[in-house]
Amino acid sequence: MISGPYRRKRNIALFSLFVIGALALLLVLKTARDLLPTPADLSVGDSQVRKPELLDRTGFNTLSVSYENRWSAQTVPLYEIPPYLRTGFIESEDRRFFSHGGVDWLARAHALAQDLLALRLVRGSSTITEQVVRMIYPRPRTFWSKWLEGIEAARLEKRFSKNQILEFYLNQVPYGHQRRGVVEASHFYFDRDPATLNIRECLALAVLVRAPSGLDPRKRLGSSEKRILNLAGHMRARGFLSEADYRAVLSEKLQLAHSSRIIEAPQFVQYVLRTVGTGILRSHGSIRTSLDGRLQQKVGQILWNRTRALASSGVGDGAALVVDNRTGEVLAWVSESSSAEESKGWVDAVTVRRQPGSTLKPFLYSLALEMGWTAATLIEDSPLLEPVNSGLHLFRNYSRTYYGPVRLRVALGNSLNTPAIRTIRFTGTERFLERLHALGIKGLKKPAEFYGHGLALGDGEVSLFELVQAYSALARHGAFLPLRVLCGSYLPPGEARQVIDPGAAAIVADILSDPQARILEFGEGNLLRLPSLTGIKTGTSSDHRDCWTVGISDRYTVGVWMGNLDDRPTRGISGAIGPALVLRAIFAELDRDGETGAFTTWPGLETVNICSVSGLRAGPGCPHIQEKFLPGSAPVRQCTLHSAKIFRDVEAPARTWPSVQRCGRFAGENSPLGAAASTAGPESTSPRPVSGAQGALPVIRLLEPSSGLQIALDPRIPPALQAFTFKISQGVETERVQWVLNNQLAGETGKNRRRFLWSLRRGRYTLFARVWPAGCKNPVKTPEVSFVVK
């Protein structure tokens, strides 16, 4: 009779065998399902190779031949490949190539141990045969992919000889700069056929495939030289290099090709082949693109030098785009990475969407100008709280400095955040989003409610391509023209359409090119002050992840982005520090031909002397400046702040809003008067109220708490010491305010005291305020808000 403990052990063993068998069966079934068929042959037919030759705008410099193709058409038989090149590859990539059956189990066991310890793939250990499988059937780099590639490699070796596999590998192995195979690589790096390479050059091609970007001899010669010498030493120790050959390797220097007729623009080529119609690509043996080969090389070198210089500050990637405003043609398109990760070289930072920071503000202010504001409109610059879901968000300026009421010119020139939020309150988020869409910024696909007022500060994602395209419309006085990548002979000229009022666009461009307008935040002697008249805007996203600078002249628009494509933050780099120097150098290069040109003024603008404090027409004693206005929008009333009879303090009047001292019904929050009173300045510098709003006071409402706010008590602080400030809006003088909480009087404040400090207690509350405006007998009740204290 079987005892109880023995029966339990037997049952556990049987169950374990069943589970193992089931898992094994699942493994077999999934493997059989995921395995791909072994190819019938390893030749590359013409149908698999696309061969349009792309040239720069001159027609003499080559951008690409077949470097965008999946397979290289430039192949040679194995016997024509130098023995040192064949041996170098085998010793570098797969030493037991001629002895294993497709998988090097010894190398794989060693690599697997390292991968399991790190819980990720840290070492490849792929044989040449497995790499061939990966070329034919690309897969994500996972443990499961490695399992399948091993089985498929074994099948491949049963169908093809070692020499056939090695020949295919050497002709199709991927290099940097989108080259494939040793023939393309030999021409690119040394401008020679493989058969003419010396030993050192052969070994260079063998080691470069490990990390084509990280070991690029044009950019990291020291790293590639070290790998070459290590491989040479190994081959000498194994008897593949004689002592004389080894000494020759030590004495030889790499003679890299610097052909001016080979223009590096791989991401631009990708974009052209992806977006241009197949009819054009197939009907022309060679195609002239819009790219300026000489400028492309210069911009690439400038951007590379800057990204390398900022590598210690956490900058790994960058992009630059140069456009001719007259035609919309792209003249330079550079996507650069200082990272050693090869995969980044295939990502186009020009078209990748990132947070734009403050770079959208010029389009917001141009919309406000169209809606009635002027460059002299006063906008309050102070910390601003807004409800976001069930909490509050504090909008602050980048420098944490606030200047009180400032003119629109000053708000935009210094890229102040809180005036921008007050401006989008005036224009409306939906209308601003529609304007961005009309300017070709298509990546903002969510509804306006999703972005909220934060859209003014870059809460969204935009590509450098879209941003430069939109800014070029500002340079054309608001006329939008899609960017072009081919010369005009292939496509009819695009038709510009007016998106921004030409006067508003001209005023915004004038502000961006005004060094005095940005002096508060950027100072006088900064990088944004270019020798030629250039409008410049910078932007920096949260945690310094994205840094932008865009510049416009009459002739060109230039945009530069810096950051990291893997979304790592930089270490304190901003648009004014990183990309600004690149943009300055690019415009210096464009200025060599004397073609950048000064902005052409839109003839319809009026120029008026205004008071720099109030924004009104300058009166006696006013600190005055000249300001540009749309027709009929210049201020009529003369400033009296600085006249001898009433002048006491220049600053105090500038920071006090004019209030309407008349009793009557309160304007609704969406009425023109209510909107203007919360954001605009005196008299004619803001939109006029419509008929029916006369005699009304600006709306009075609770600013804090917001409706639906949830407040959490801090468990580390005694409840009696925790408080919250109730706050009502400004815009009208008050005699007193009663704060009514859950229909009981919580407190009362005196004349012009718009805040009340309330001790926090857990519970659900409804709050409103009774406000007695100055000169009025009866109070006004604010709308109620509900909030929770947890």
Side-chain angles (χ1 to χ4, degrees):
M1 184 175 177
I2 300 175
S3 64
Y6 178 78
R7 185 183 296 108
R8 284 195 298 272
K9 289 181 180 180
R10 187 188 66 176
N11 291 341
I12 291 173
L14 290 174
F15 179 74
S16 300
L17 288 174
F18 172 78
V19 170
I20 292 172
L23 291 175
L25 180 60
L26 287 175
L27 176 64
V28 170
L29 293 176
K30 181 169 175 54
T31 300
R33 188 194 69 177
D34 291 353
L35 284 174
L36 295 171
T38 305
D41 60 68
L42 292 177
S43 63
V44 179
D46 289 341
S47 61
Q48 300 181 61
V49 181
R50 204 169 46 210
K51 303 179 184 177
E53 183 181 36
L54 300 185
L55 308 173
D56 77 345
R57 65 189 302 108
T58 67
F60 296 107
N61 298 316
T62 302
L63 300 183
S64 76
V65 181
S66 60
Y67 310 136
E68 165 68 9
N69 304 318
R70 181 181 177 191
W71 304 117
S72 172
Q74 302 179 43
T75 61
V76 292
L78 186 64
Y79 61 81
E80 291 186 13
I81 298 176
Y84 289 117
L85 184 54
R86 298 197 303 262
T87 305
F89 262 99
I90 291 171
E91 291 301 305
S92 176
E93 293 294 306
D94 188 2
R95 296 176 188 174
R96 289 178 282 274
F97 173 69
F98 286 106
S99 61
H100 63 64
V103 180
D104 187 341
W105 293 107
L106 185 62
R108 177 166 285 198
H110 187 209
L112 182 61
Q114 291 182 306
D115 294 343
L116 290 174
L117 287 174
L119 297 177
R120 61 186 180 90
L121 286 174
V122 296
R123 186 176 175 208
S125 78
S126 295
T127 63
I128 285 176
T129 311
E130 288 175 302
Q131 292 182 55
V132 167
V133 169
R134 195 179 305 135
M135 291 181 210
I136 299 171
Y137 300 127
R139 292 186 178 98
R141 294 193 65 185
T142 63
F143 289 111
W144 183 248
S145 296
K146 290 282 292 180
W147 166 257
L148 297 175
E149 287 165 5
I151 299 173
E152 290 167 349
R155 290 181 174 181
L156 197 70
E157 294 232 352
K158 290 181 179 179
R159 175 163 293 186
F160 303 104
S161 68
K162 291 284 187 179
N163 284 344
Q164 287 175 303
I165 293 172
L166 183 60
E167 179 180 303
F168 178 88
Y169 173 78
L170 293 176
N171 280 307
Q172 303 299 337
V173 63
Y175 280 89
H177 303 276
Q178 296 181 287
R179 267 60 176 184
R180 276 194 173 274
V182 295
V183 179
E184 287 186 7
S186 179
H187 289 163
F188 176 72
Y189 290 110
F190 308 114
D191 202 19
R192 299 205 307 279
D193 290 328
T196 65
L197 301 180
N198 61 37
I199 300 176
R200 191 183 186 95
E201 291 165 342
C202 288
L203 301 189
L205 293 185
V207 301
L208 278 176
V209 295
R210 280 292 179 97
S213 296
L215 298 176
D216 189 339
R218 288 200 176 102
K219 298 176 180 178
R220 293 181 171 87
L221 183 58
S223 299
S224 57
E225 292 275 13
K226 183 178 178 180
R227 292 289 187 96
I228 292 168
L229 295 180
N230 287 344
L231 179 58
H234 171 78
M235 290 176 65
R236 180 187 63 168
R238 296 256 294 169
F240 296 116
L241 276 184
S242 67
E243 192 64 32
D245 289 338
Y246 179 71
R247 285 197 299 269
V249 171
L250 296 181
S251 62
E252 293 167 345
K253 298 295 181 184
L254 290 180
Q255 300 296 322
L256 298 174
H258 294 282
S259 173
S260 60
R261 295 198 59 188
I262 304 295
I263 305 300
E264 283 302 301
Q267 288 82 9
F268 176 77
V269 169
Q270 283 183 354
Y271 183 83
V272 172
L273 296 176
R274 188 172 66 248
T275 60
V276 174
T278 56
I280 295 176
L281 295 176
R282 290 174 180 173
S283 60
H284 294 83
S286 60
I287 298 175
R288 278 198 307 133
T289 68
S290 63
L291 217 65
D292 183 318
R294 183 191 66 82
L295 183 63
Q296 175 77 8
Q297 290 180 316
K298 287 286 187 181
V299 172
Q301 192 59 50
I302 291 168
L303 185 62
W304 164 252
N305 290 339
R306 189 61 177 152
T307 52
R308 184 168 57 179
L310 294 176
S312 59
S313 297
V315 174
D317 308 294
L321 191 64
V322 182
V323 170
D324 187 330
N325 294 331
R326 299 173 305 178
T327 61
E329 291 179 345
V330 174
L331 303 178
W333 180 309
V334 178
S335 178
E336 190 60 72
S337 175
S338 63
S339 170
E341 296 178 35
E342 181 201 352
S343 60
K344 287 189 179 180
W346 295 80
V347 178
D348 187 1
V350 172
T351 55
V352 168
R353 292 188 170 102
R354 312 281 297 184
Q355 280 198 339
S358 295
T359 56
L360 300 182
K361 289 176 182 174
F363 310 113
L364 173 64
Y365 285 107
S366 68
L367 181 58
L369 292 174
E370 293 177 17
M371 295 174 64
W373 285 14
T374 73
T377 295
L378 293 182
I379 313 171
E380 174 68 11
D381 179 29
S382 60
L384 181 64
L385 275 171
E386 273 203 351
V388 177
N389 296 325
S390 59
L392 289 173
H393 178 75
L394 176 62
F395 291 103
R396 298 178 293 193
N397 289 336
Y398 182 82
S399 65
R400 304 295 196 271
T401 302
Y402 305 93
Y403 303 96
V406 295
R407 288 174 288 112
L408 183 149
R409 175 176 289 268
V410 175
L412 173 56
N414 292 281
S415 196
L416 302 176
N417 287 341
T418 65
I421 295 299
R422 291 178 167 96
T423 302
I424 199 172
R425 283 179 173 180
F426 169 65
T427 64
T429 305
E430 186 169 357
R431 186 176 293 183
F432 179 44
L433 185 61
E434 290 173 356
R435 170 58 53 88
L436 295 176
H437 288 164
L439 288 166
I441 299 177
K442 304 299 185 184
L444 300 172
K445 299 179 180 179
K446 303 289 185 180
E449 296 78 16
F450 176 83
Y451 301 108
H453 292 159
L455 184 61
L457 309 183
D459 283 359
E461 291 190 336
V462 175
S463 71
L464 182 63
F465 182 94
E466 292 172 327
L467 202 60
V468 169
Q469 183 173 245
Y471 267 81
S472 67
L474 282 177
R476 294 188 213 97
H477 292 163
F480 174 78
L481 186 64
L483 298 188
R484 300 163 58 89
V485 293
L486 299 184
C487 283
S489 57
Y490 299 98
L491 295 169
E495 292 187 8
R497 54 184 173 84
Q498 201 69 38
V499 174
I500 305 173
D501 178 88
I507 291 173
V508 167
D510 182 74
I511 294 172
L512 297 180
S513 61
D514 180 6
Q516 294 303 312
R518 68 174 78 100
I519 201 169
L520 292 178
E521 291 285 295
F522 297 95
E524 292 191 64
N526 61 76
L527 292 174
L528 307 184
R529 194 164 191 163
L530 272 61
S532 60
L533 190 62
T534 307
I536 297 180
K537 186 71 191 74
T538 63
T540 307
S541 69
S542 303
D543 298 326
H544 300 270
R545 295 178 188 276
D546 302 285
C547 311
W548 309 77
T549 305
V550 186
I552 55 174
S553 68
D554 188 58
R555 177 72 184 276
Y556 301 107
T557 297
V558 179
V560 183
W561 167 83
M562 283 184 171
N564 293 288
L565 290 169
D566 60 8
D567 209 33
R568 285 181 295 112
T570 66
R571 288 189 280 277
I573 300 299
S574 66
I577 296 174
L581 191 60
V582 176
L583 182 130
R584 187 182 182 92
I586 293 173
F587 268 106
E589 190 64 36
L590 295 170
D591 280 338
R592 291 182 189 276
D593 301 325
E595 294 182 347
T596 54
F599 284 118
T600 55
T601 304
W602 188 64
L605 297 180
E606 300 178 28
T607 302
V608 176
N609 275 339
I610 66 166
C611 173
S612 62
V613 176
S614 69
L616 298 175
R617 280 185 181 267
C622 283
H624 63 86
I625 60 170
Q626 286 194 330
E627 186 56 271
K628 295 180 173 65
F629 295 88
L630 294 175
S633 68
V636 176
R637 188 159 64 91
Q638 188 178 73
C639 177
T640 58
L641 290 176
H642 305 88
S643 66
K645 292 183 179 179
I646 67 170
F647 175 70
R648 291 181 176 83
D649 181 11
V650 171
E651 292 300 324
R655 297 177 184 272
T656 303
W657 293 110
S659 58
V660 182
Q661 298 299 316
R662 290 189 295 271
C663 290
R665 69 179 181 83
F666 279 69
E669 190 166 351
N670 295 322
S671 77
L673 182 60
S678 65
T679 55
E683 203 210 78
S684 57
T685 58
S686 63
R688 302 303 303 157
V690 297
S691 176
Q694 299 291 345
L697 288 168
V699 67
I700 298 178
R701 61 187 176 89
L702 284 165
L703 295 180
E704 299 176 30
S706 58
S707 184
L709 179 68
Q710 297 184 24
I711 304 172
L713 287 168
D714 191 333
R716 299 166 297 180
I717 302 174
L721 299 180
Q722 300 186 55
F724 184 84
T725 301
F726 297 156
K727 189 187 302 182
I728 61 170
S729 58
Q730 299 187 18
V732 64
E733 292 188 7
T734 60
E735 292 293 339
R736 62 190 176 113
V737 179
Q738 290 182 347
W739 308 87
V740 181
L741 191 67
N742 287 354
N743 292 321
Q744 294 188 359
L745 184 65
E748 183 172 322
T749 52
K751 185 173 183 177
N752 291 331
R753 298 293 300 274
R754 297 179 177 85
R755 302 184 180 200
F756 175 70
L757 194 64
W758 174 68
S759 296
L760 287 174
R761 296 187 297 275
R762 287 186 172 88
R764 295 182 177 273
Y765 298 95
T766 300
L767 174 71
F768 68 87
R770 292 193 193 101
V771 183
W772 278 263
C776 297
K777 295 181 180 180
N778 299 320
V780 175
K781 177 184 174 181
T782 67
E784 294 182 350
V785 298
S786 299
F787 65 99
V788 177
V789 180
K790 298 180 178 180

